[in-house]
Amino acid sequence: MDIETLLKNTSRSLYLSVQALPGNMRPAFGIAYLLCRYADTIADTSILPAQRRLYWIERFPLLLKEQNRQEISLLASEICGGSENPYEKELIKNLLPCLQVLNQVSAKQLPIIMDVVQAVCDGMKIDLNAFPEEHSAQIQAFQTPDDLQHYCRLMGGKPGLFWSRLICTTTKIDMPEKEFYELGQHIGDALQIVNILRDLPKDLRIGRCYFPAQDLAQHGLTAADLLIPENATRFEPVKRKWILWGVNNLKSAVRYFAQLPKCQPGGRAAVAWPVLWTADTLLKVWQTPDLLNPQKRVKIPRSNIYSTMLCTPPILISNLLFNKWLGGKLGKFN
């Protein structure tokens, strides 16, 4: 299976953004996503004990550098059958073709890709070390808000940094790169807290509570209490605290977007779309009173995705219009 098909099948909304990118950024962005997704498949497979998954996650960045075919085959054989997603099954079998693409990216882009893979693997090591085995019938929460913010930085902020560094390999920006990178990390933090919020019921049932025990205790809750959907009302203040944290981080997109050249409309669209979709998803979570219900997964409709794309052209030539559009969405949380 070719890399573009793998990318399309593993993340349709991200695939749309990748297609908008300039050609000199597309391969690096696509392969970085697929390699991080491969690592995620290792970390989440239920057919290996946590310690074996931890071994492979720690080994994965070096595996990409060394590209030992025998070791790659061993990894694939150990995790094959560990996913019910047919597209992840295809990804598991296609690490070597992914590495062929990795080997073709520019010398300037390669270390950026390796850095983001390492950061995401570090985040997955937290999952495997901090939380119990999925079928242990135990549940554990992060202890402090700093724990959750650090996790969001590894799993979202560092990909945001990767994205920003990749832009700077092909595009001149006006502000200091360090400042641009920090804005990108804030946007990535917001994207990650959205994932944590909407996956909350599923994560709780495999023993993972990312919301800090300190926050829960302030409202008389424990991680185990979140398994009871009727406790959604008591959880509401914690939910809203972290939604607003995501909203505040997403505001960084205003200054970030203004740095993107109007002569590169594809690059601007590829930034605008996930930011706008994240704002929509945060609002949907905000308006969902029964977030703890395991039968409900918050998701914006496909029509929302396509309508955003359809209405995009004006903001590609106007920072002011993007600011008003995003500001209108974020203003609904006041």
Side-chain angles (χ1 to χ4, degrees), residues 197 211 235-247 285-289 291 333-334:
L197 284 159
F211 293 96
F235 177 67
E236 192 71 10
V238 179
K239 181 190 88 172
R240 295 201 166 211
K241 169 187 173 177
W242 288 100
I243 290 175
L244 292 175
W245 181 81
V247 167
V285 174
W286 181 271
Q287 296 173 339
T288 299
L291 189 65
F333 295 92
N334 295 332

Side-chain angles (χ1 to χ4, degrees), residues 293-307:
N293 184 351
Q295 304 303 318
K296 179 176 290 188
R297 186 173 188 269
V298 176
K299 193 175 182 180
I300 58 173
R302 191 168 294 275
S303 58
N304 188 308
I305 291 174
Y306 290 122
S307 65

Side-chain angles (χ1 to χ4, degrees), residues 33-47:
Y33 173 80
L34 287 174
L35 293 175
C36 289
R37 185 64 181 264
Y38 201 104
D40 183 63
T41 302
I42 298 170
D44 286 348
T45 184
S46 59
I47 61 175

Side-chain angles (χ1 to χ4, degrees), residues 36-215:
C36 289
R37 185 64 181 264
Y38 201 104
D40 183 63
T41 302
I42 298 170
D44 286 348
T45 184
S46 59
I47 61 175
L48 292 180
Q51 284 304 309
R52 187 59 178 170
R53 283 178 269 167
L54 187 59
Y55 165 80
W56 280 118
I57 286 296
E58 290 177 336
R59 184 83 186 112
F60 191 66
L62 280 176
L63 186 63
L64 300 184
K65 292 178 181 178
E66 297 171 356
Q67 301 189 14
N68 182 296
R69 286 176 173 263
Q70 185 175 357
E71 192 173 15
I72 289 169
S73 296
L74 177 61
L75 169 60
S77 67
E78 288 195 17
I79 63 175
C80 184
S83 173
E84 297 180 359
N85 184 325
Y87 302 124
E88 285 189 351
K89 291 179 181 179
E90 286 298 318
L91 180 59
I92 288 169
K93 295 187 295 186
N94 283 278
L95 182 54
L96 280 174
C98 289
L99 293 179
Q100 290 173 2
V101 176
L102 178 67
N103 294 338
Q104 294 169 5
V105 302
S106 72
K108 188 183 292 187
Q109 294 173 339
L110 181 60
I112 300 174
I113 295 173
M114 298 307 298
D115 284 350
V116 73
V117 171
Q118 181 66 64
V120 169
C121 285
D122 288 343
M124 291 171 186
K125 284 188 280 188
I126 291 175
D127 282 330
L128 293 169
N129 282 316
F131 299 116
E133 292 266 12
E134 288 88 339
H135 305 297
S136 67
Q138 299 176 357
I139 187 168
Q140 179 68 41
F142 279 152
Q143 290 304 301
T144 70
D146 285 346
D147 292 336
L148 177 50
Q149 290 184 32
H150 175 62
Y151 182 79
C152 286
R153 180 52 55 103
L154 290 173
M155 299 296 286
K158 293 302 182 182
L161 172 61
F162 157 76
W163 174 246
S164 306
R165 292 173 69 190
L166 186 60
I167 288 173
C168 288
T169 65
T170 61
T171 304
K172 186 181 185 316
I173 60 169
D174 292 331
M175 68 167 51
E177 286 187 0
K178 183 178 179 181
E179 188 176 350
F180 185 67
Y181 293 164
E182 188 60 32
L183 293 174
Q185 290 186 93
H186 287 311
I187 296 169
D189 290 344
L191 270 62
Q192 182 58 28
I193 199 66
V194 163
N195 292 334
I196 290 172
L197 284 159
R198 67 183 184 183
D199 289 342
L200 175 59
K202 180 186 74 174
D203 289 334
L204 290 170
R205 280 154 185 81
I206 59 171
R208 300 178 182 182
C209 178
Y210 293 100
F211 293 96
Q214 288 183 4
D215 287 358

